Each structure stands twice: as C-alpha cells, then as structure tokens.
C-alpha cells in the first residue's frame, strides 16, 4: 500500500470509537475547491499579501484591520511550554482488556474481557526544551489517557520503575538541578553538568533511578521499544470495598531495546526528531506500536511483608517477588490531525482517576495529585482545560463550575450552586451504586510530622546494588562508560569525588574505574552486602525481532537482479523497514535491467540511523566517493555491533583479518539461505562478541 493510502487510512475515523466520533465535530478543513479566505470574523479577504498604505510608497495605515488581526493572532500563537516534559509527541489508539479485573476493581474499563477503551498517549522527555532532541539521555514520560465510560483516567508512566526522589517536596530541587545553568542556559537536554551531579551526591535517594538513567534504559531505540512504569503505588478497590495495592507496567511487544551512547549523541545532531520520525513511519505503514499492560498486586494485609516499603517510589517491586500479571493490550493506530491543538494542549493529571482506582499514601503520588493540574492551569491560562477536545471526556459532564478564560460551553441554567430547590437539587450527587466516586476509608492515625513513612526509605543503595547485580557484563561496561561521559563534564573536582564515594556504596570496583576515568581518588569504602539479582532487569532477556527494524540498502548500478529482488522481498515479508540509499535519487539499474528507485542519498542519511545494512555496492558516477560512503556506513555499523548483510556484488567492501571475527556479518556468496540468515541476524540486533 502506498504512503498516500496509508495516510488516508490513518486519518479515517475508526468505527465504534467514541472519542474519534467526538473529535469529528471539531475537525475543520480550510482548503479545497471553492474555499474563499476569510478573517477570523468570517469576512472574505481580498488581499492577504500586501498591507494597506497611504500611497504606493507611503506609510502603513492604522485602519488596516486585516493586518492587525493577522499579526496579533500570530503574536499569540504560542503558549508557555511545560516546565518538564516539554518535548513530546502524541498518538491515539485503543486499550483492549484481556481478562476481567472485576474481583479487584470496580473500574468500568477493567470489567469485561474484549472491552475496548479509546486512548491518547503522549511520549516526552523530562529535561530539554520543546525544541531539544529526542535521543537525550533522559527520563521519558509515557502518559496514557483512557477515555472511559466513567470519565477520563490518566496513567502517567516513566521508562523506569523508580523515581529520583521519595517525597514530592523535592520536585523543584531536582528539576532546578537538572535544567540548564541559570546563568548561561547551557547545557540543553543533558545532565552532563555540575548542578545535577552535585544534587545526586547530596541527595542519595536518587542513586537507584540514576543507575537506570545511566544504563541503556536511558537511551531507548524507539518509543515502540520502551517499557513504562507509573512508579506510584495505587489501590484497586472492588465492589465489596476490598483494597489491593497495585503498580502498573507497560511492556512493549517488540521488546526493550536501546541506542549506544555514541549513537544517541550523533543522532541527536543529525536527526533530533529521530523518535518522532520512527513512530510516524510505523503508524503510516500499519505496523502499529503495541504494549501489554501488566499489574503487580499486593494484598492490603501484606503491606509490611517485604524488605522494601511499598509506598517508596525509589524502590521497585522485584518481578521475581511480586509477579507481573498481563491484563490487556494498548495499540497506537492514529496520528493527531493537528499537533498544537491535540498534542501541545493535551493535559495529563494523576488526580484524574475513576471509581475503583484510588490513591495510597505514597508521598510522591500525594504531591503529584496537586502539582500537575496546577502547572497546566498556569500554562493554559484557564480552568477550562478539560473542554479542549483532546482532553474532553466522552461522557456527559454536569457541574456547577463556571466561567474562566476560553469558555466555549454555554451553560443555560439559572441555578449554578448546590444545594438548591429551584432545580430539584440537580445536578445531583451519585451514590457508589450509581457510579459515584467514593474514597476508600483507609485508616489514618499518628501525629502531624515530617518524618519519612518508614526506616526503609533511608535504604538508598540496596536496590541500586540489585540493579547492578542484574546487568550482563556488556550492560555493566556500557553503564560505566555512560557515568564516565557525564561525570567527565563536571568541572568541580569536589563533586566528582563525592560521586565516586557515593557510587562505591553500589559497587566499589565500578566506583574505582570511574574515579580513574574522571581524575579523582579511588573510593575509601565498599559496597552494601547485597547479592540478590533480578533477571527481569537485564535487557538481554527481552524479546528480539526483525519486524520494523530499519535496514539501509547501499546500492549502485550493476547489481545482481534476482539476488537483490529476492532479498528485498524477504525483508519486506518479515516486516523489515528499508531505505534504498545511493549517490543520488536517480534509479539504479541491475545487470539484467531491473530498475530500483532510491529514496535517500548518502548526503541526506547517516549510518547511525539504521539498525542494519544490506551492502549491495555497484557502479556509480563518482565511484571513489560512492565507495568511500559505503565504507563509512560499514565501519560505523560494525563499530556499533550491528548486523551487516553483504551481497555478492558487495564482497569487496569487507574482508576477514586477524583483527576482526566478522560476527554478525552475513555473506550472500555461496549461501542459498542468505535472506533467512540475514533476517535472523537483524532480529538479534547486536553482536556483542564482535571484534
């Protein structure tokens, strides 16, 4: 199916999707046959090119209301960007329930297997501005808005299962520390700077999440290959009023995969929109991103059974201790129609819950329930943010709220208060049986205090050590190199030394290697005595597929027609994405006359943008430059452990020597199964044993 038809399908409302049906009334088309330009007042415009002047060479006339309206509207097109998670991208989709959760929660969308709920999902970066890069080493948001039959439910996740702080009081502090230098506004979208690492060394509860951040998890290959955890502890409450503690997890069907640090840095420069471009391509090609929703459940009576506090967001619930139960699937299948109207104005709020889903006394969740809405009230300059189409619930809204900026709803009631007799005391309260939200009557006792909820909140390093123990040697080496990179930018020797002493609590050998790299003394103490590990943490245990991996096909004239056609067909059959790359966009011709049209050139693309290469080679107008470009692609892909397929006509570009083992390089010569072998290599994705 061609791209034009893909786009057409993408923009077609899905049958039976109540959110899409609701949005249809807001979609307006300004272009088309017979359409005449008007101003915002509906008056036809006769000239939208030249301003009104007193004489051909005279001054601008103040009475030019068309210019005034056009310019003043343009001056106000932007709204303040989010303080954090400013850079984002949103898509629509649906959530389908696999199994009933009725025994645990009364939430309507979790009752009946097969029930589909429309959703809007926003992926985002924490640190950088709206115009920063996608591939920064950063905390990423994975926010899901469920348009349920009981109102909107917002589930806000990160790509880590833990948070950097244990109490919402520190929201401002960690954000100030991570943001650019307030004097120079440098650096952008990175924590490779003194302020952040000074914060880390002096706020040691950050240790666990910073381990995740410095690992491969901090550099996802794609949003389609990124897990999500809401980090907070919630309650499920069922019809009988029984409570169960719950944490969620989004599991990508394609597995969890990452960029190397070098790749992420280069891609951030050559294609700062890398993740956006990736997910747009997948949706347009019908390879819809899919994630399964898992729940971890702890009975109310088991709250104090574990060696971690279940309300502490700097601690994960190890999956080997608290298993993840998969209950449904999220599918993202439609792009927005207008980025600003839908993505930029979208609002997510942890306080948007539905009956059957409750807060706990999680100190971070308690603060988030206040902070998120308040920042949007400021940013959108209105209390009517839920009337914006993307945020609007699909259920009827009846309330006594009135006025504020951007009020489009026309409330015609005389009565706008409760209690009343003039309107029969409506809108009336709803009982629990009628779907009213009733808070769980959890027991509250104790004295007013600023103490932490339990002593285990002070255990900063046991789970950070668990994380280290769970990594493969490759992942450990990558993590150390990422630490070295970021701490290498820190100018203060004192801050570098403090970090080495702190990280020795996690692993003394790791801290010693870091100390040597960043020019400070080795640590004076050792790590905590934790030997446990969690296999679920290592990315080497994630699923691997060739499906939607991106291959750069490097090709010139004179290729072997049948061989190349068969390989390209095999790749397409396996759902592999491809770019045909040559010296220019003119068709290349095979030895027997087959023509293939390139869609990219060596000047417009870079090797880091591909998961794999298919090296066909061939003849070119500027042969020396063509060969040099191919070698550049091969060398960089080889250095990054990526699979490389070599056609019979590409054999001359790569040779075995005593300095390389060519692991992951698949040759077509004398190999009738080349296509299948190459697909298997693409699925493996990295060949860590390569020399």
């Amino acid at each position: 199916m061609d791209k034009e038809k893909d786009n057409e399908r993408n923009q077609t409302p899905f049958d039976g999707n109540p959110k899409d049906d609701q949005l249809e009334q807001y979609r307006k088309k300004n272009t088309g046959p017979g359409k005449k330009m008007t101003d915002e007042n509906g008056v036809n415009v006769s000239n939208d090119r030249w301003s009104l002047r007193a004489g051909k060479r005279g001054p601008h006339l103040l009475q030019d209301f068309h210019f005034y309206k056009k310019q003043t509207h343009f001056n106000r097109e932007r709204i303040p960007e989010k303080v954090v998670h400013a850079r984002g991208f949103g898509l629509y989709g649906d959530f389908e329930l696999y199994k009933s959760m009725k025994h645990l929660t009364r939430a309507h969308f979790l009752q009946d297997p097969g029930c589909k709920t429309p959703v809007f999902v926003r992926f985002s970066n924490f640190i950088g501005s709206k115009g920063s890069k996608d591939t920064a080493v950063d905390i990423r948001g994975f926010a899901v808005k469920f348009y349920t039959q009981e109102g909107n439910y917002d589930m806000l996740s990160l790509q880590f299962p833990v948070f950097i702080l244990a109490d919402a009081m520190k929201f401002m502090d960690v954000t100030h520390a991570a943001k650019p230098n307030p004097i120079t506004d440098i650096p952008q979208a990175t924590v490779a700077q003194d302020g952040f690492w000074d914060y880390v060394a002096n706020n040691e509860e950050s240790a666990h999440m910073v381990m995740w951040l410095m690992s491969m998890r901090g550099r996802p290959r794609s949003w389609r290959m990124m897990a999500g955890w809401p980090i907070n502890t919630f309650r499920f409450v069922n019809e009988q009023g029984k409570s169960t503690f719950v944490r969620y997890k989004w599991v990508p069907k394609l597995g969890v995969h990452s960029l190397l640090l070098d790749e992420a840095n280069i891609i951030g420069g050559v294609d700062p929109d890398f993740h956006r471009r990736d997910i747009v391509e997948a949706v347009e090609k019908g390879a819809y991103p899919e994630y399964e929703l898992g729940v971890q459940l702890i009975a109310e009576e088991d709250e104090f059974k574990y060696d971690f506090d279940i309300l502490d967001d700097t601690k994960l619930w190890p999956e080997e201790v608290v298993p993840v139960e998969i209950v449904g699937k999220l599918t993202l299948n439609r792009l927005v129609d207008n980025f600003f109207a839908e993505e930029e104005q979208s609002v997510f709020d942890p306080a948007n819950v539905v009956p059957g889903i409750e807060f706990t006394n999680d100190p971070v969740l308690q603060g988030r329930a206040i902070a998120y809405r308040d920042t949007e009230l400021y940013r959108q300059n209105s209390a009517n943010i839920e009337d914006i189409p993307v945020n609007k619930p699909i259920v009827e809204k009846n309330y006594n709220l009135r006025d504020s900026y951007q009020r489009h709803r026309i409330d015609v009631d005389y009565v706008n208060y409760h209690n009343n007799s003039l309107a029969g005391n409506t809108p009336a309260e709803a009982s629990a049986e009628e779907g009213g939200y009733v808070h769980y009557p959890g027991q509250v006792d104790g004295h007013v205090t600023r103490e932490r909820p339990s002593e285990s909140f002070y255990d900063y390093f046991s789970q950070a050590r668990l994380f280290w123990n769970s990594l493969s040697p490759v992942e450990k080496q990558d993590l150390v190199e990422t630490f070295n990179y970021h701490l290498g930018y820190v100018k203060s020797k004192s801050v570098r030394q403090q970090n080495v002493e702190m990280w020795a609590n996690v692993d003394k050998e790791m801290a010693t290697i870091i100390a040597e790299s960043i020019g400070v003394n080795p640590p004076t103490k050792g790590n905590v005595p934790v030997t446990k590990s969690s296999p679920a943490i290592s990315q080497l245990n994630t699923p691997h597929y060739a499906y939607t991996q991106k291959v750069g096909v490097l090709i010139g004239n004179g290729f072997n027609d049948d061989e190349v056609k068969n390989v390209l067909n095999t790749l397409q059959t396996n759902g592999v994405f491809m770019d045909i790359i040559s010296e220019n966009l003119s068709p290349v011709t095979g030895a027997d006359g087959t023509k293939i049209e390139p869609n990219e050139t060596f000047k417009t693309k870079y090797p880091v943008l591909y998961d794999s290469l298919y090296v066909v080679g061939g003849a070119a107008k500027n042969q020396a430059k063509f060969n040099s470009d191919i070698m550049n692609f091969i060398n960089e892909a080889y250095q990054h452990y990526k699979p490389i397929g070599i056609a019979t006509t590409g054999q001359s570009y790569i040779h075995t020597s005593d300095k390389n083992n060519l692991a992951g390089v698949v040759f077509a010569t004398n190999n009738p199964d080349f296509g299948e072998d190459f697909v298997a290599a693409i699925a493996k994705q990295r060949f860590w044993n390569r020399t």
Side-chain angles (χ1 to χ4, degrees):
M1 185 175 288
D2 61 36
K3 187 173 181 180
E4 205 170 288
K5 288 181 180 175
D6 276 336
N7 283 329
E8 183 181 339
R9 182 196 59 236
N10 177 62
Q11 299 302 327
T12 301
F14 287 83
D15 292 338
N17 185 317
K19 183 60 185 179
D20 202 73
D21 293 342
Q22 181 194 65
L23 289 173
E24 184 60 24
Q25 66 181 302
Y26 297 102
R27 296 186 179 113
K28 303 297 179 187
K29 190 173 178 64
N30 297 290
T31 58
K35 295 273 189 178
K36 298 295 183 183
M37 180 183 291
T38 73
D39 65 11
E40 59 190 349
N41 203 38
V43 175
N44 284 341
V45 175
S46 64
N47 192 317
D48 189 51
R49 293 159 287 127
W50 292 96
S51 55
L52 199 64
R53 296 182 302 282
K56 290 179 66 173
R57 300 176 64 81
H60 197 154
L61 293 178
L62 189 60
Q63 70 192 57
D64 189 354
F65 61 81
H66 179 59
F67 169 79
Y68 173 78
K69 290 179 178 180
K70 183 177 180 181
Q71 186 62 40
T72 54
H73 191 285
F74 173 68
N75 291 347
R76 291 159 177 79
E77 281 185 356
R78 296 294 174 265
I79 63 176
E81 67 177 37
K82 293 174 183 285
V83 176
V84 293
H85 296 283
R87 182 169 181 81
F89 191 82
L91 308 90
Y92 292 100
D94 59 67
F95 173 76
E96 182 177 1
L97 188 67
Y98 287 164
K99 57 173 71 172
S100 175
M101 294 283 101
K102 187 174 184 177
H103 60 295
L104 296 170
T105 175
R106 55 180 292 209
H108 178 273
F109 77 106
L110 296 176
Q111 299 298 296
D112 300 318
C115 173
K116 281 193 175 183
T117 303
V119 300
F120 181 76
V121 174
R122 184 177 189 263
F123 299 101
S124 59
N125 285 17
F126 176 85
I127 303 170
S129 69
K130 209 178 123 178
S132 59
K133 61 185 180 181
D134 284 347
T135 57
V137 174
D138 200 356
I139 307 167
R140 283 173 175 78
F142 183 159
V144 182
K145 183 182 293 292
F146 296 84
Y147 301 104
T148 86
Q149 297 298 322
E150 298 175 299
N152 289 350
Y153 173 48
D154 291 352
M155 184 187 289
L156 290 85
S157 304
L158 303 178
Q159 89 269 38
F160 313 132
V162 292
F163 202 37
I164 198 167
L165 45 84
D167 192 289
M169 184 67 83
K170 290 188 174 183
F171 277 162
M172 183 187 79
D173 302 289
V174 70
T175 303
H176 281 182
K179 285 289 187 177
N181 182 310
I183 299 170
T184 63
D185 203 39
I186 297 171
Q188 175 62 242
T190 179
V191 293
Q193 44 105 341
D194 288 52
F196 178 78
W197 292 100
D198 181 49
Y199 177 90
V200 168
N202 290 280
N203 295 269
E204 292 183 334
E205 74 266 33
S206 65
H208 190 192
M209 201 209 77
V210 172
M211 290 289 288
W212 285 79
L213 178 63
M214 292 293 104
S215 76
M216 290 181 176
R217 298 269 187 170
R219 309 181 303 268
R221 156 62 181 85
S222 165
W223 293 323
R224 301 178 295 115
M225 304 168 194
M226 182 180 83
W229 288 267
I231 70 162
N232 296 125
T233 301
F234 292 87
R235 271 191 173 96
F236 276 162
V237 182
N238 67 14
E239 289 283 2
Q240 292 73 43
K242 180 176 173 55
S243 164
T244 304
F245 294 108
V246 61
R247 281 194 181 184
Y248 303 103
K249 179 183 181 181
W250 290 110
V251 184
K253 293 292 289 291
L254 293 176
V256 178
H257 303 285
S258 297
L259 299 168
L260 301 181
L261 179 61
D262 187 46
E263 290 176 307
N265 287 337
I266 296 171
I267 292 171
V270 301
D271 187 2
D273 304 308
F274 181 72
H275 286 151
R276 295 184 181 202
R277 211 181 299 276
D278 170 86
I279 206 162
V280 168
E281 179 180 19
V283 172
E284 288 183 343
K285 289 184 174 180
Y288 300 135
E290 294 180 329
Y291 312 80
E292 290 186 312
L293 178 63
V295 294
Q296 290 179 285
L297 303 166
I298 292 178
E300 185 90 12
E301 58 270 23
D302 292 338
E303 179 176 359
F304 302 105
K305 176 182 175 181
Y306 304 93
D307 61 1
F308 52 88
D309 194 313
I310 69 169
L311 300 182
D312 183 353
D313 292 333
T314 69
K315 310 292 195 302
L316 55 76
W317 297 1
E319 293 183 23
E320 295 75 20
V321 178
V322 187
V324 174
E325 179 184 355
I326 299 299
V327 299
K329 183 178 73 171
L330 168 69
T331 304
L332 302 179
N333 48 31
R334 193 175 70 77
L335 303 175
V336 298
D337 292 296
N338 182 282
F339 184 85
F340 177 84
E342 295 169 279
E343 198 286 334
E344 186 66 19
Q345 292 194 114
S346 65
V347 170
F348 294 86
D349 183 355
N352 284 347
V353 291
V354 292
I357 299 175
E358 264 273 12
F359 296 157
T360 63
N361 295 333
D362 174 334
V364 173
L365 176 58
Q366 292 282 319
R368 290 179 93 192
I370 297 172
Y372 278 66
R373 182 170 183 81
D374 185 67
T375 191
E376 289 295 346
L377 290 173
Y378 160 74
R379 193 173 80 94
Q380 310 258 14
N381 195 32
S382 172
N384 294 315
I385 51 181
E386 267 89 16
D387 285 339
I388 296 170
V390 67
N391 303 319
K392 195 171 184 178
I394 59 174
V395 294
E396 181 181 5
K397 295 193 294 182
N398 303 304
Y399 49 58
N400 293 317
L401 304 172
R402 292 294 186 270
D403 307 338
S404 186
Y405 293 98
Q406 302 169 40
R407 186 68 167 181
H408 301 292
R409 172 173 169 144
I410 301 172
D411 296 290
V412 298
D413 308 275
Y414 171 75
V415 173
N416 56 6
Y417 51 87
H418 189 87
N419 296 308
N420 70 73
S421 64
L422 294 177
N425 203 24
T426 59
E429 296 167 334
S431 66
E433 293 72 26
E434 295 170 315
Y437 192 98
V438 179
H439 289 270
Y440 178 72
Q443 182 177 346
V444 178
D445 55 24
H447 302 285
V448 174
T449 180
R450 291 192 188 273
E451 294 177 286
R452 296 198 178 186
S454 70
E455 284 303 307
S456 68
F457 271 72
Y458 292 94
D459 178 5
Y460 303 142
F461 300 111
S462 290
Q463 285 208 349
R465 174 71 179 174
L466 169 76
F467 181 83
W468 173 258
N469 292 342
S470 304
L471 300 182
S472 67
V474 166
E475 290 169 307
K476 286 182 176 179
Q477 181 181 345
D478 176 89
L479 185 145
V480 170
E481 289 173 356
T482 307
F483 266 120
N484 291 343
Y485 173 86
H486 286 82
L487 286 167
Y489 275 90
V490 174
K491 303 302 180 186
S492 169
K493 190 169 185 177
S494 169
V495 171
R496 298 200 304 270
Q497 187 68 59
Q498 289 175 65
N499 270 273
V500 165
E501 297 296 343
M502 172 182 162
W503 295 112
N505 289 287
V506 177
D507 188 78
K508 185 174 183 179
E509 183 182 358
M510 175 188 77
T512 302
I513 296 170
I514 293 171
E516 183 178 2
S517 175
I518 63 177
V520 296
N521 297 324
T524 57
K525 56 186 176 182
N527 47 260
V528 294
V530 173
T531 58
K532 290 187 291 187
S533 64
S534 171
I537 288 173
S538 174
Q539 285 190 205
L540 266 63
N541 298 325
T542 198
H544 289 70
Y545 303 102
Y547 182 65
T548 78
Q549 289 284 294
K550 193 153 192 179
V551 174
V553 180
L554 315 182
I555 192 168
N557 294 300
F559 56 85
N560 184 315
D561 301 55
D562 290 340
E563 176 191 320
V564 170
K565 284 192 294 183
N566 287 336
V567 171
L568 296 184
N569 286 337
T570 299
L571 295 178
Q572 189 171 23
T573 299
N574 284 275
V576 175
F577 292 173
M578 292 176 283
D579 276 344
I580 309 298
I581 306 169
S582 194
E583 65 176 345
N584 56 51
L585 296 179
S586 299
V588 291
T589 306
D592 293 332
T594 299
K595 291 187 180 297
I596 296 177
E597 191 170 319
N599 63 318
E600 299 291 351
T601 70
F602 289 110
K603 189 169 287 293
T604 58
K605 289 296 175 181
Y606 296 80
V608 288
L609 302 177
Y610 297 95
D611 301 301
S612 178
L613 299 179
Y614 176 36
V615 182
V616 180
K621 186 174 182 180
N622 186 340
Q623 194 68 46
K625 178 70 165 58
F626 180 79
N627 291 343
S628 174
D629 287 335
I630 287 182
M631 288 307 304
N632 176 48
F633 268 68
I634 290 174
N635 290 337
E636 195 154 322
Y638 195 87
Q639 178 186 343
H640 293 149
Y641 311 100
K642 295 177 179 179
I644 302 172
I646 305 293
T648 54
T649 50
Q651 186 93 22
S652 62
Y653 291 104
I654 194 162
H655 302 281
T656 306
S657 75
D658 56 0
K659 295 181 180 179
N660 65 47
N661 61 8
L662 299 188
V665 180
V666 184
F667 293 92
T669 301
N670 300 321
N671 182 3
D673 299 322
F674 170 75
E676 290 73 20
D677 292 347
F678 185 33
V679 168
I682 294 170
K684 190 170 181 180
Q685 301 183 22
R686 305 274 187 185
F687 289 81
W688 301 114
N689 63 330
R690 178 177 288 169
T691 58

